[in-house]
Amino acid sequence: MSTTKTAKSALISVFHKDGLAPIAKKLDELGVTIYSTGGTEKFITELGINVIPVEDLTSYPSILGGRVKTLHPKVFGGILTRRDNENDVSQISEFEIPEIDIVIVDLYPFEKTVESGAPEQDIIEKIDIGGISLIRAAAKNFKDVICVSSVSDYSEFLQLISDGNGSTTLADRKRFAAKTFNVSSHYDSAIFNYFNSNHEIATLKISEQKGQVLRYGENPHQKGFFFGDLDKIFDKLHGKELSYNNLLDVDAAVNLMSEFKNDAPTFAILKHNNACGLAQRKTIYQAYIDALAGDPTSAFGGILISNVEIDEKTATEIHQLFCEVVIAPSYSDKALEILKGKKHRRILLQKDIELPKTTVRTCLNGALVQDKDFKTDVLEDLTYVTNNKPSKSELEDLLFASKLCKHTKSNTIVLVKNKQLCASGTGQTSRIDALNQSIAKATHFNFDLNGAVMASDAFFPFPDCVEIADNAGIKSVIQPGGSIKDQLSIDYCNENKIAMVMTGTRHFKH
């Protein structure tokens, strides 16, 4: 038996009607009988095309405000009947059920309704029942039926029936069935995640409709993919496609800069997911200059991000540095012209959207999921545990350092002076190593640490860190506290006139 099928009938019931007219006209031209419902029926009829209402087929009206329209054996029987099964053919003949060869049905826009902030009742009404049943039935019976379940597939389907004069191959129908089950599984995952937003059911469902193949993964011998919609967060204004490592760095940059949204001009430079430069100033130009001073060596090939518009003067300075990516909420026309002077430099315009509230990473034979660390240490969180209290400017530096510390790989120590990163010790196996690394690096780049502040992502189990910091000229410290030996560090600070505050919140980052 031939696997090529010529369609004689179609059921069309869609929410999105853009692009539907050419399909309806082509089906009419091919002599295909069209069944339809509600608004779609009206739309096709107004094109001057004859349509059979589903109500005429089922002898049953649409009820419950449109909740029940197509859920009927005369509809589903026509879709699910196996044309090579004698019993199926006999039964649909007995019950006068017409075969349906094409199903064009999309689903109510559930996700868009959720994103719009609509009230719950509106969201519930956008849970499709009939539509999802129809497309699953049609996809299941792909041997005989072709299913078009998304407006994004309209043009391909139109080309298919135009080239084949209404005929499709088994391979065509199976490919469209796969597309359909992709749509239906994603739809159900979105609904489940809405109802399980508090994660009371310990089940992980991730579904991303958009994806891209990357040149390679972390290294050239590894395959790499990105699943998600980058267009929602960025407009890429110039340069090559983002690589796997670029994406990791951009993610780190965006999360770090989210701490400084609506603050004074702030500029950060990142490398391998950690900041090597960060400064906040009255102008973005000076913020960039001072961020670069934090580590001009590591800045080569780095990721640059600003919390305000990049102007011509700043762009002129940036243009002298080889950097992979520049990110900002806006650019002056002249700045953009300058930055585009490097062919491969990626220039991203960041949109104002809400970032995901959870993190997911593979672990052993499964996945680890956690709430994102949205806790930012603020003045009200601080406990003043030493006799010496930090000055107003020191408090500002301490909170500035704490924000950066939260976004640096553990174990970490961050040294800050006048809202400028002097140096950080990153990803060390001991806190002493992280501190020694940061002091050595700050010294190498000629920073005077007298009057600088120190931030730690976790508590000090011994007083050795505050002693080393004291010897380097640091006189103010912020840390979570919580060690059973906190008092040892407090005693050292009191004896040496160091101010120390505790936040009560650890910020490990692994």
Side-chain angles (χ1 to χ4, degrees):
M1 181 180 289
S2 172
T3 60
T4 299
K5 300 280 185 180
T6 301
K8 297 178 182 178
S9 61
L11 171 64
I12 308 177
S13 181
V14 297
F15 187 89
H16 299 98
K17 297 172 181 64
D18 294 342
L20 181 62
I23 292 175
K25 290 175 181 178
K26 174 55 68 175
L27 292 174
D28 184 52
E29 178 188 318
L30 293 169
V32 174
T33 300
I34 298 176
Y35 300 93
S36 192
T37 64
T40 308
E41 176 196 336
K42 182 175 182 291
F43 176 84
I44 298 173
T45 300
E46 289 176 351
L47 295 173
I49 297 170
N50 186 47
V51 181
I52 299 175
V54 166
E55 290 93 332
D56 290 357
L57 172 63
T58 63
S59 299
Y60 216 92
S62 171
I63 62 172
L64 306 182
R67 280 188 165 198
V68 181
K69 290 183 287 189
T70 56
L71 295 168
H72 194 282
K74 280 207 169 182
V75 175
F76 282 86
I79 296 170
L80 287 166
T81 182
R82 293 160 290 190
R83 277 59 163 178
D84 60 355
N85 184 297
E86 290 183 5
N87 287 335
D88 284 10
V89 173
S90 174
Q91 280 193 317
I92 66 167
S93 174
E94 178 186 353
F95 294 107
E96 298 180 340
I97 299 173
E99 293 178 354
I100 296 175
D101 307 311
I102 299 171
V103 172
I104 304 176
V105 173
D106 64 1
L107 305 178
Y108 292 156
F110 178 81
E111 287 179 282
K112 287 185 177 179
T113 306
V114 173
E115 289 171 6
S116 74
E120 183 169 81
Q121 188 53 45
D122 290 353
I123 292 171
I124 298 305
E125 289 305 316
K126 287 298 184 289
I127 297 176
D128 209 315
I129 302 300
I132 199 136
S133 302
L134 288 167
I135 66 173
R136 285 176 62 85
K140 176 179 179 176
N141 201 25
F142 68 87
K143 284 182 65 177
D144 297 303
V145 180
I146 187 164
C147 181
V148 183
S149 57
S150 171
V151 66
S152 63
D153 295 325
Y154 284 4
S155 60
E156 183 184 352
F157 173 72
L158 177 60
Q159 190 65 50
L160 198 65
I161 58 172
S162 298
D163 293 345
N165 289 317
S167 296
T168 58
T169 67
L170 179 61
D172 293 330
R173 297 190 297 276
K174 192 169 185 178
R175 186 175 73 258
F176 272 79
K179 290 171 178 276
T180 296
F181 286 120
N182 179 37
V183 167
S184 66
S185 63
H186 177 80
Y187 196 77
D188 282 338
S189 292
I191 295 169
F192 169 77
N193 288 331
Y194 170 76
F195 280 94
N196 195 43
S197 59
N198 293 327
H199 306 288
E200 292 176 359
I201 302 173
T203 299
L204 176 63
K205 293 189 187 295
I206 300 174
S207 178
E208 288 291 350
Q209 292 286 69
K210 290 195 173 184
Q212 63 188 85
V213 180
L214 306 175
R215 283 178 60 205
Y216 52 80
E218 205 160 3
N219 300 292
H221 63 277
Q222 296 170 270
K223 291 182 180 179
F225 307 87
F226 175 78
F227 296 99
D229 189 356
L230 285 177
D231 292 338
K232 279 190 175 181
I233 188 168
F234 298 117
D235 285 333
K236 187 165 78 70
L237 306 179
H238 182 73
K240 297 192 297 184
E241 293 301 315
L242 293 165
S243 70
Y244 183 98
N245 290 328
N246 288 155
L247 287 164
L248 288 175
D249 283 332
V250 167
D251 177 70
V254 167
N255 280 289
L256 170 60
M257 197 53 72
S258 69
E259 300 284 348
F260 302 97
K261 186 177 180 181
N262 301 322
D263 281 6
T266 307
F267 206 103
I269 304 172
L270 289 89
K271 196 76 170 286
H272 296 292
N273 308 160
N274 292 304
C276 58
L278 178 70
Q280 188 174 93
R281 294 292 181 259
K282 291 183 178 179
T283 67
I284 198 59
Y285 169 79
Q286 196 58 52
Y288 169 70
I289 294 297
D290 290 348
L292 181 63
D295 186 348
T297 303
S298 295
F300 181 85
I303 307 295
L304 280 57
I305 186 167
S306 168
N307 71 338
V308 298
E309 179 173 285
I310 292 179
D311 56 24
E312 178 183 354
K313 186 178 181 182
T314 308
T316 301
E317 287 294 329
I318 291 173
H319 193 56
Q320 298 176 42
L321 174 72
F322 169 71
C323 56
E324 291 278 346
V325 184
V326 182
I327 309 166
S330 61
Y331 302 83
S332 72
D333 291 342
K334 193 63 180 177
L336 198 55
E337 181 183 335
I338 293 166
L339 293 173
K340 285 182 176 180
K342 294 288 177 67
K343 180 181 178 181
H344 298 307
R345 179 185 286 146
R346 302 150 177 94
I347 303 173
L348 303 180
L349 187 148
Q350 185 179 345
K351 301 174 185 177
D352 186 15
I353 70 162
E354 186 176 332
L355 296 171
K357 291 183 171 61
T358 55
T359 64
V360 183
R361 64 195 297 181
T362 58
C363 181
L364 300 175
N365 63 342
L368 282 171
V369 181
Q370 67 171 350
D371 294 335
K372 215 167 199 178
D373 185 359
F374 281 116
K375 171 61 180 172
T376 298
D377 298 326
V378 295
L379 203 59
E380 292 74 20
D381 297 324
L382 305 184
T383 301
Y384 301 83
V385 296
T386 54
N387 296 331
N388 269 36
K389 302 296 186 286
S391 66
K392 182 177 182 295
S393 62
E394 285 175 333
L395 278 171
E396 290 177 353
D397 275 353
L398 288 168
L399 292 174
F400 184 89
S402 176
K403 289 179 179 180
L404 176 54
C405 196
K406 168 183 162 182
H407 292 275
T408 306
K409 295 288 185 182
S410 299
N411 289 310
T412 184
I413 292 289
V414 170
L415 306 180
V416 163
K417 187 175 181 180
N418 299 325
K419 293 186 179 178
Q420 178 186 22
L421 172 62
C422 301
S424 59
T426 63
Q428 298 302 302
T429 52
S430 84
R431 203 155 302 284
I432 292 176
D433 286 347
L435 175 55
N436 286 330
Q437 181 191 55
S438 62
I439 292 171
K441 190 172 181 181
T443 302
H444 176 74
F445 289 113
N446 300 314
F447 280 98
D448 178 6
L449 292 179
N450 284 296
V453 307
M454 174 175 75
S456 174
D457 59 337
F459 63 63
F460 301 124
F462 302 102
D464 41 14
C465 282
V466 288
E467 182 177 356
I468 294 169
D470 177 32
N471 292 333
I474 293 162
K475 293 300 178 183
S476 196
V477 178
I478 186 169
Q479 58 126 331
S483 169
I484 59 173
K485 295 184 179 180
D486 275 344
Q487 194 60 45
L488 295 178
S489 294
I490 294 170
D491 289 345
Y492 181 91
C493 289
N494 284 334
E495 291 164 9
N496 294 276
K497 298 182 179 178
I498 297 171
M500 184 163 66
V501 296
M502 295 183 179
T503 65
T505 303
R506 189 181 71 187
H507 292 292
F508 272 165
K509 186 172 188 286
H510 294 113

